[in-house]
Amino acid sequence: VRAAIASARSQLSWHAVVHITALSGMYAMNNQISFYVYTLADPGTIFLFKAGSTLIVATIQCLCVGKRFSGEQWKAMLLQCVGMVVVQYNPCQSSARYQYMAYVLMAFSTLLTACCSVRNEYLVKNYTIGLNVQQMIMYCAGVVLNVSAFFCLPNPNNHGAAVGFFDGYDSPLALGVVFSNAIIGLAVNAVYKYADAITKCVAGDVTAVLLCIVSAAFFGLKATVTMWCGVFVVCFAVHTFTGAPSVGARPATGDGPASKVEPPVGKTKEEEELRSLIGKTDTGK
């Protein structure tokens, strides 16, 4: 235990701890908003709405980190947002599926999710801190912040009734939700380290499509042709993004610049011809 504590202290600084704690605060705020939004909309709608975070993450990375994307990737991300709008619009009522406040909170949560993703990837890839140490600090700060939120913020679900901190945790489903979220948090940091935030967002988009099917089957979401067309648009956008070439990738054709070999600098035409003749002579021997 002492060796583990010493190793963690050698990797950490007050500057790093402040940045990780600030990121944990953003996650805590996003979680509080997300759990409230679950009382206003179905899970599939919420996750599909967050599909727009892919475009926001890419924009933030371009402006703040200097990352570049190809034109095909930008088009695919924009198509994702269009598909999300198609899913949420109800053409029969000429209105959205849920109340205005639900979409305001989902939009804010989407923006917060994008900021958390970019910041988390930056910390994981640019700070010389082990993933286990960073997650330990983040989860400890998250415990303090979420417990404080429980006692300081009003609970929108109890309608004034006294609810204890551990009420409801005698249910295996509640414990399963906590365990699943913990595992997801650990896995996402590994994705940030070995891939990037866009990959995490694309995986979230696939999850949103699956949850739309689950919501239509178990949560009373009325599936329409328009909704399924929007789901198809989102899936096609994800497929287009994953197949789009990255910026700076060289073409694989034989007449591309990668296939042209320039002669070494300082070598004249006569020297190249002499080297070719010597090679032919050696081959004849």
Side-chain angles (χ1 to χ4, degrees):
V1 176
R2 291 182 179 179
I5 295 175
S7 176
R9 293 183 63 180
S10 65
Q11 299 179 51
L12 293 172
S13 64
W14 283 110
H15 181 267
V17 172
V18 168
H19 279 280
I20 296 173
T21 304
L23 178 62
S24 182
M26 295 172 64
Y27 274 118
M29 182 188 302
N30 194 24
N31 288 335
Q32 296 295 325
I33 295 174
S34 296
F35 282 118
Y36 176 66
V37 172
Y38 282 128
T39 65
L40 305 177
D42 65 277
T45 297
I46 295 171
F47 270 80
L48 196 62
F49 197 92
K50 287 187 176 183
S53 64
T54 306
L55 183 61
I56 302 175
V57 167
T59 303
I60 295 175
Q61 286 184 330
C62 285
L63 296 177
C64 302
V65 186
K67 194 169 183 178
R68 299 174 60 194
F69 298 93
S70 64
E72 289 80 3
Q73 290 175 322
W74 282 112
K75 293 175 184 177
M77 288 185 284
L78 182 60
L79 188 61
Q80 277 185 331
C81 297
V82 173
M84 178 187 64
V85 174
V86 172
V87 170
Q88 289 305 305
Y89 185 72
N90 190 337
C92 297
Q93 299 179 359
S94 297
S95 63
R97 294 180 180 271
Y98 298 102
Q99 56 181 311
Y100 175 75
M101 181 55 65
Y103 290 105
V104 172
L105 293 176
M106 283 192 287
F108 182 71
S109 179
T110 299
L111 178 62
L112 202 56
T113 300
C115 294
C116 289
S117 299
V118 175
R119 187 60 184 168
N120 202 349
E121 181 186 349
Y122 180 82
L123 289 177
V124 168
K125 290 186 175 180
N126 292 276
Y127 280 66
T128 56
I129 303 174
L131 276 180
N132 55 340
V133 177
Q134 180 176 336
Q135 290 170 346
M136 178 184 65
I137 299 299
M138 187 179 301
Y139 275 68
C140 289
V143 169
V144 174
L145 293 171
N146 283 286
V147 170
S148 302
F150 175 81
F151 288 106
C152 297
L153 298 179
N155 188 347
N157 295 324
N158 58 18
H159 302 288
V163 177
F165 184 78
F166 289 104
D167 284 357
Y169 282 98
D170 54 345
S171 170
L173 294 178
L175 297 177
V177 170
V178 175
F179 178 78
S180 299
N181 278 282
I183 296 299
I184 289 172
L186 297 175
V188 164
N189 268 9
V191 173
Y192 289 145
K193 184 175 181 63
Y194 300 108
D196 54 22
I198 297 295
T199 302
K200 177 256 181 185
C201 291
V202 171
D205 298 340
V206 176
T207 303
V209 172
L210 296 177
L211 281 176
C212 275
I213 301 174
V214 174
S215 295
F218 299 102
F219 293 98
L221 178 64
K222 294 183 179 180
T224 62
V225 176
T226 304
M227 190 196 79
W228 292 119
C229 288
V231 170
F232 174 78
V233 170
V234 174
C235 293
F236 181 75
V238 172
H239 173 73
T240 304
F241 180 85
T242 55
S246 302
V247 174
R250 294 188 175 186
T253 57
D255 55 351
S259 62
K260 297 179 181 180
V261 180
E262 296 293 335
V265 179
K267 300 291 184 180
T268 62
K269 184 177 180 180
E270 290 77 13
E271 290 176 336
E272 291 295 323
E273 291 178 352
L274 180 60
R275 186 182 299 273
S276 176
L277 290 174
I278 294 175
K280 291 180 179 178
T281 305
D282 293 338
T283 304
K285 292 181 180 179

